[in-house]
Amino acid sequence: MDSINRNHHQHVHGETNTGTALQDGIILLLSRWYALQLAVQNQWGGCDSLQKFHHLVAELLSLFSKSNAPVPVEDLENLLHESMLLTFNTEIEDGSIEQ
């Protein structure tokens, strides 16, 4: 997703992107998720879909950064499912969230 890759160094949550390895990894993985790519490219979350993508990156970064303990898979799946449903108006039933 070219627009995501080109713009991932823009502001996230009002702070500049620090280019951390974790954040870069999250962006890379999400930019390869076909369902999310479609949602952003087709603006299923509205005209600010790219900003919503960056908000999701920030949410995931926060989830992984706030604790030294491993993040339960169920918490991650729930966050992704809710984000796709509520933010991008997209119901994911292809198993890609679990992947």
Side-chain angles (χ1 to χ4, degrees):
M1 170 172 268
D2 292 335
S3 61
I4 290 174
N5 291 331
R6 278 196 309 269
N7 295 315
H8 84 272
H9 289 290
Q10 290 181 346
H11 298 294
V12 177
H13 268 312
E15 298 175 10
T16 58
N17 180 337
T18 60
T20 65
L22 178 57
Q23 186 171 3
D24 288 347
I26 291 169
I27 291 167
L28 180 63
L29 286 173
L30 291 181
S31 69
R32 292 180 178 176
W33 185 14
Y34 185 70
L36 181 57
Q37 289 181 23
L38 285 177
V40 173
Q41 288 175 350
N42 293 304
Q43 297 185 343
W44 295 343
C47 62
D48 60 344
S49 290
L50 184 58
Q51 290 81 7
K52 290 178 179 180
F53 170 86
H54 289 293
H55 179 77
L56 177 58
V57 170
E59 284 185 274
L60 290 168
L61 185 61
S62 175
L63 180 67
F64 286 113
S65 299
K66 70 181 176 184
S67 172
N68 289 335
V71 175
V73 172
E74 296 81 22
D75 291 355
L76 180 57
E77 289 175 355
N78 288 337
L79 175 65
L80 294 173
H81 185 275
E82 284 182 16
S83 180
M84 291 300 290
L85 185 61
L86 300 175
T87 304
F88 293 101
N89 302 309
T90 304
E91 180 70 40
I92 302 297
E93 297 178 353
D94 63 357
S96 61
I97 287 178
E98 292 80 6
Q99 290 176 353

